[in-house]
Amino acid sequence: MVGESGFDVAWTAAGDTQIELVGTSGVDVSKHAVDRRTSARFRGLAPGRTYRYRLSAGGRMRAEHDVRTAPPAGTPFRFVALGDSGSASPEQLAIAARMADARPDLIVHTGDLIYPKGTPTEYGRKFYQPYQAMIVSIPFYPCIGNHDYSADEGRPMLEEFILPENGPAGETPERHYWFDYSHVRFVAIDSNIPRQRLADVVAPWLDSVLAEADRRGLAKVVFFHHPPYSSGPYGGTHRMRLTIVPALDRHRAELVLNGHNHAYERTQPLRGGVIVAANEGTVYVTTGAGGGELYEPAAMPEPELAKSHYGKHSFTVVDVDATRMVVRQINIEGVIVDEFDIPLRAAATSRPAA
């Protein structure tokens, strides 16, 4: 987890382990250990600066990596998104290598990190090994997929990550959360919970989080597993259209990222389920081809579908500047299969440090 004024690091090791920032003094550091897992929180850092952390044990250096704090609002950045990856397949490894080549500032995952049932013992082979070159330095923000949820309602996944604890009251911490990076507010939702909880608890919280983003002039990216609109075999998820989409419409979120259907799909800009002008609606992207078995498209595409890519694994690259997002879908062969712009309705403005 990364903010403007600091970052968190978590690791697993036997015995006592020390962590320090190389060549930096006067930093607020707190450390917490449970069983073999240890985490450290660094605060009091400068925004947009690269810091090197060092792990050591028994008087020997074990690892040393660089992390960049979140930059001030208005700073261009790149993030990548993918979903439905956790199979340990050759395709997952190939997509991971393509992602690393893109050199993102952060990674968003739209769920289903571990197939088939989110088992904790599978994280080494199906998550840490494929992404080890990136996650030592690049923040990784997941949401819970249905396969992750099948293991104790996603709690094993939540235990693997350090995520913001700013979700709705009464919900498990980290299940839903938000964070700001440069001039974009990212919001993660667990779309597996019952419809009534989505309507009564999550939707009002989402409304307030997006309203605050509006007041601060931030663009809005929301990600959750089940797509409200899709031409894939599962189709769109009706309960998400009923409970979550109204808040997205009210605040005109620029981009929504989903998974679940194992393919790539992009809608036209939508508001109230109706196609509207680019600066008036929300674009919904299903990026569910991160490594799992691929799906076939439905016989009749939905009318809101603008572009799709079936039959090959892929991931999403988003470049953000002060006025727009440039979104590209790149397949396993490195081919750009879709590219489009999303105008940012809110001008990038300065904001308090995270």
Side-chain angles (χ1 to χ4, degrees), residues 34 68 196 253 276 292 299 351:
V34 177
R68 182 174 180 255
Q196 205 60 46
V276 294
R351 58 184 174 82

Side-chain angles (χ1 to χ4, degrees), residues 130-352:
Y131 306 122
Q132 60 184 342
M134 291 181 284
I135 59 176
V136 294
S137 297
I138 301 170
F140 190 102
Y141 294 95
C143 64
I144 299 174
N146 60 296
H147 288 270
D148 309 313
Y149 192 83
S150 65
D152 194 17
E153 298 184 345
R155 288 178 179 85
M157 193 205 85
L158 299 180
E159 291 172 0
E160 293 292 330
F161 294 92
I162 301 173
L163 300 170
E165 296 186 9
N166 51 17
E171 287 287 296
T172 306
E174 304 178 308
R175 185 173 296 279
H176 321 277
Y177 61 90
W178 62 267
F179 65 94
D180 296 337
Y181 196 95
S182 188
H183 49 288
V184 178
R185 172 153 295 183
F186 292 83
V187 186
I189 295 170
D190 179 4
S191 59
N192 297 277
I193 67 173
R195 171 180 164 180
Q196 205 60 46
R197 272 169 60 196
L198 284 169
D200 296 345
V201 179
V202 178
W205 167 80
L206 175 64
D207 195 64
S208 66
V209 169
L210 297 181
E212 185 195 17
D214 290 338
R215 290 191 294 271
R216 298 175 65 180
L218 303 175
K220 298 165 288 291
V221 174
V222 182
F223 59 106
F224 49 89
H225 189 59
H226 297 85
Y229 304 98
S230 176
S231 294
Y234 288 127
T237 306
H238 186 61
R239 61 194 176 88
M240 300 307 289
R241 289 201 299 270
L242 290 176
T243 59
I244 298 302
V245 167
L248 302 175
D249 286 342
R250 267 192 302 278
H251 300 283
R252 293 190 292 174
E254 279 84 355
L255 177 63
V256 172
L257 296 164
N258 306 120
H260 199 47
N261 281 306
H262 295 190
Y264 167 73
E265 295 183 323
R266 166 172 63 94
T267 71
Q268 301 282 0
L270 299 174
R271 195 172 187 188
V274 176
I275 298 172
V276 294
N279 62 344
E280 292 295 327
T282 299
V283 175
Y284 294 80
V285 166
T286 296
T287 181
E293 181 181 355
L294 297 174
Y295 293 169
E296 295 294 326
M300 292 292 293
E302 297 296 326
E304 65 270 7
L305 182 68
K307 182 76 174 182
S308 66
H309 184 66
Y310 280 79
K312 290 184 179 179
H313 293 84
S314 62
F315 70 102
T316 309
V317 179
V318 184
D319 288 299
V320 184
D321 64 25
T323 62
R324 64 176 183 161
M325 298 180 189
V326 179
V327 185
R328 291 175 293 146
Q329 194 71 13
I330 300 176
N331 74 11
I332 194 169
E333 298 168 349
V335 176
I336 299 173
V337 297
D338 191 20
E339 183 170 358
F340 62 99
D341 290 6
I342 299 177
L344 303 187
R345 286 177 281 274
T349 56
S350 61
R351 58 184 174 82

Side-chain angles (χ1 to χ4, degrees), residues 35-76:
D35 297 327
R36 291 165 55 91
R37 187 176 188 269
T38 306
S39 62
R41 172 169 292 180
F42 295 95
R43 294 296 183 268
L45 306 181
R49 179 178 164 186
T50 299
Y51 293 87
R52 175 161 293 183
Y53 68 91
R54 177 184 294 157
L55 287 168
S56 58
R60 296 177 56 192
M61 186 186 76
R62 300 297 184 181
E64 192 173 273
H65 301 287
D66 293 337
V67 173
R68 182 174 180 255
T69 52
T75 305

